[in-house]
């Protein structure tokens, strides 16, 4: 929703995860909703950590290492969002954007910091590419039970998942690209999170249309997550 507002002219709106949380907090019962998001994201972190250490025992070799690394990376991403949610909840909408840039600058000042930022950016790009591939190949359907993959509902869930995973992959990939560029140019201001990524898209030719497409795609991903929760293949 915040990305759509950016696409259609509200350029003063923050598109970072914190900005989106502030938008949620400003709504009726927003405080309760923010605490629910914070606790939910914390549970996601716990889930991914448990999955990383105990959930891939049936795999072996490089495949196991890849899945463990993916689970740990997701735990980090969810942890960042959880921290943002707790910050907004505790400070009544405080703790504005810019935390990503500060972290980038701190890492950049470490020995070998540029290399670390570039490697981190490449890892994020890889995750974005993997996410987009899951969407294109429809591998996400493995999460749904038979009922979730058949009939009219199943066709809708397939569309939501395909569009959603592709859009999420693109958005995450742009974030990673910003970190790589920041590391190569030694300019921490060029790094950033989803806020800077969406604004970068907005500045391109046909940017508002591209940003609107990404926003709608991320919305589709959200709808698929509800379908996954309802029809999870256990």
């Amino acid at each position: 929703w915040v990305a759509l507002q950016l696409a259609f002219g509200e350029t003063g709106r923050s598109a970072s995860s914190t900005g989106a949380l502030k938008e949620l907090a400003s709504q009726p019962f927003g405080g309760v909703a923010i605490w629910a998001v914070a606790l939910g994201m914390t549970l996601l972190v716990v889930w991914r950590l448990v999955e990383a250490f105990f959930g891939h025992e049936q795999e072996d070799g490089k495949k196991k290492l890849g899945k463990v690394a993916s689970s740990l990376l997701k735990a980090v991403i969810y942890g960042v969002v959880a921290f943002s949610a707790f910050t907004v909840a505790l400070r009544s909408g405080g703790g504005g954007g810019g935390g990503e840039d500060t972290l980038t600058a701190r890492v950049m000042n470490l020995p070998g910091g540029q290399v670390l930022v570039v490697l981190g950016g490449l890892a994020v790009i890889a995750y974005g590419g993997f996410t987009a591939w899951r969407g294109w190949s429809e591998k996400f359907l493995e999460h749904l039970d038979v009922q979730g993959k058949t009939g009219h509902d199943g066709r809708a869930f397939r569309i939501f998942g395909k569009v959603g995973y592709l859009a999420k992959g693109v958005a995450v990939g742009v974030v990673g690209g910003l970190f790589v560029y920041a590391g190569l140019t030694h300019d921490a201001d060029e790094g950033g999170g989803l806020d800077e990524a969406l604004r970068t898209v907005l500045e391109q030719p046909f940017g508002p249309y591209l940003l609107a497409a990404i926003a709608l795609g991320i919305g589709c991903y959200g709808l698929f997550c509800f379908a996954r929760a309802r029809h999870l293949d256990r």
Side-chain angles (χ1 to χ4, degrees):
W1 171 243
V2 174
L4 277 177
Q5 290 176 312
L6 277 177
F8 292 106
E10 292 194 33
T11 55
R13 179 78 64 177
S14 172
S16 66
S17 59
T18 304
L21 292 169
K22 287 182 181 179
E23 180 73 16
L24 178 61
S26 68
Q27 306 305 314
F29 304 104
V32 175
I34 287 297
W35 277 108
V37 169
L39 293 174
M41 296 305 297
T42 301
L43 289 175
L44 278 175
V45 173
V46 174
W47 170 41
R48 289 302 185 183
L49 290 176
V50 171
E51 180 184 64
F53 292 107
F54 305 107
H56 304 300
E57 296 300 323
Q58 74 278 14
E59 308 293 349
D60 54 22
K62 293 182 179 179
K63 189 173 183 180
K64 180 177 180 179
L65 289 176
K67 290 194 172 185
V68 169
S70 176
S71 296
L72 290 174
L73 179 59
K74 290 175 183 178
V76 172
I77 293 172
Y78 295 147
V80 171
V81 180
F83 178 79
S84 298
F86 278 116
T87 298
V88 172
L90 291 172
R91 299 184 183 179
S92 300
E100 299 92 344
D101 291 353
T102 300
L103 178 60
T104 305
R106 290 178 179 176
V107 174
M108 204 92 76
N109 290 327
L110 296 173
Q114 279 184 269
V115 176
L116 292 175
V117 170
V118 171
L119 290 177
L122 290 175
V124 174
I125 291 174
Y127 173 65
F130 176 72
T131 301
W133 172 78
R134 284 187 65 82
W136 183 259
S137 63
E138 299 185 355
K139 289 286 288 182
F140 57 85
L141 290 175
E142 67 187 10
H143 295 303
L144 300 180
D145 60 17
V146 175
Q147 185 180 358
K149 292 187 284 191
T150 57
H152 295 295
D153 289 347
R155 285 193 289 273
F157 298 156
R158 183 186 299 265
I159 293 173
F160 291 154
K162 190 154 193 167
V163 175
Y165 270 83
L166 285 169
K168 180 184 175 184
V170 170
V172 170
V174 175
V175 173
L178 290 175
F179 279 110
V180 171
Y181 185 73
L184 293 176
T185 60
H186 201 270
D187 187 354
D189 290 337
E190 297 293 341
L194 189 58
D195 182 22
E196 295 301 324
L198 295 180
R199 291 187 183 278
T200 298
V201 172
L202 186 62
E203 293 168 359
Q204 306 309 309
F206 306 104
Y209 302 102
L210 293 173
L211 185 56
I214 290 176
L216 292 173
I218 293 174
C220 285
Y221 179 78
L223 292 174
F224 176 78
C225 286
F226 282 113
R228 176 177 172 175
R230 175 64 179 84
H231 296 287
L232 180 63
D233 184 1
R234 294 174 174 82

